[in-house]
Each structure stands twice: as C-alpha cells, then as structure tokens.
Amino acid sequence: MPPKFSRPGFSRGGESEAESKRALLGGNSDDDGEDYEDFDPSGVGKRGRGGRGPAAPRDDAALRRARQEVSDVVEIMRQNVSKVLERGDHLEDIEDKSERLMDSSIAFKRGTKKLTWNMWWQHIKVGTYSLNRLACNRLLCGCKV
C-alpha cells in the first residue's frame, strides 16, 4: 500500500537523495550544485516555490520588514540579556547583605545571652549582699527574726 502523504525532501521513486535535497532547497535536479547565488531559504525565488511552478516576484518591502523585525528582536534579546546580568548582580548584592545580616543576628543573640547571664549574676550578687547585710544588721542590733 503506498503512503498516504509524501514529504518534500525525501526520496521519491527514482530520485537520489541529493536530487531530493536539491528540490527541497529550491534548486532543480539539472543543476550541478555550484550555483548558490539563486538560493533563497524561503523557497521563493526566480523559480517560484521550491523550484516548482511559476516564478514569484520578490517583495523587497516584505524583506525589509522582516529584517527590521529580526533586528528589533535581536535588540530586545540584548536588552533581556543585559537585564538578566543586572539581576544577577543585584541577587549577589542581596545575598551578601543577607549573609551580613545573619552574622549580625548571631552576634546580637550571643550578646543578649551574655547580657542576660551577667544581669542574672548581678541580681544574685545584690540579693546575696542584701541578705548578708540584713542578717548582719539583725545580729548586731539584737533584733529577733
């Protein structure tokens, strides 16, 4: 059973692979392959679409418009790459700042623990001193507790 669909560029019947590729690229099988100035990647050129059919006129305005669109896209991509690089720099800055903040928070936590410990000892010392003084006063004064 023959295939339902045929693809251009694939060998059909008695064509060689080179002839089918040449037909796909817009050349005809009689060319010797050395004439590349007629090559048009769109397939539309002096010989028409894919080397088959009547010749289509070349539309310079459409070509200029397509080139302008390509240059616009290239410019947009350059801007995008530039923005990505700037974003990477900003992310590195934010990472550095977050590391410094983390280090500062660890130092702050250590300082608060040390301060809490010192205040607790000071409270114990004052309490002990006050109790000793109170006990001495009662002993010296002869007060009953």
Side-chain angles (χ1 to χ4, degrees):
M1 175 177 246
K4 292 183 179 180
F5 304 101
S6 64
R7 292 183 176 175
F10 288 96
S11 180
R12 295 178 299 244
E15 290 182 351
S16 70
E17 188 176 337
E19 289 173 340
S20 62
K21 284 183 182 178
R22 202 172 293 128
L24 180 65
L25 293 175
N28 76 33
S29 59
D30 297 342
D31 290 341
D32 57 1
E34 295 179 11
D35 186 18
Y36 295 110
E37 67 186 37
D38 293 340
F39 177 70
D40 186 7
S42 67
V44 179
K46 293 180 182 178
R47 292 184 205 92
R49 169 99 24 224
R52 298 173 294 274
R58 193 173 193 136
D59 189 7
D60 289 336
L63 184 63
R64 274 187 265 129
R65 188 171 44 248
R67 285 184 178 160
Q68 181 61 40
E69 288 177 11
V70 168
S71 66
D72 292 343
V73 169
V74 167
E75 183 60 32
I76 289 170
M77 291 306 297
R78 285 184 180 148
Q79 291 172 358
N80 288 344
V81 168
S82 175
K83 288 178 183 178
V84 166
L85 292 175
E86 288 176 10
R87 182 176 180 223
D89 292 340
H90 290 302
L91 288 175
E92 288 176 4
D93 292 343
I94 290 172
E95 184 180 359
D96 292 341
K97 289 177 182 178
S98 67
E99 287 176 5
R100 284 189 301 233
L101 182 61
M102 182 68 133
D103 293 341
S104 298
S105 67
I106 291 171
F108 180 78
K109 187 175 181 179
R110 286 180 186 156
T112 56
K113 283 185 177 183
K114 185 175 181 180
L115 180 63
T116 303
W117 181 255
N118 288 340
M119 293 303 293
W120 182 78
W121 269 114
Q122 186 177 2
H123 179 71
I124 296 296
K125 288 176 188 176
V126 168
T128 305
Y129 177 75
S130 298
L131 285 176
N132 286 340
R133 185 164 174 110
L134 183 63
C136 288
N137 282 344
R138 291 190 181 207
L139 286 174
L140 293 176
C141 294
C143 300
K144 296 181 181 176
V145 180

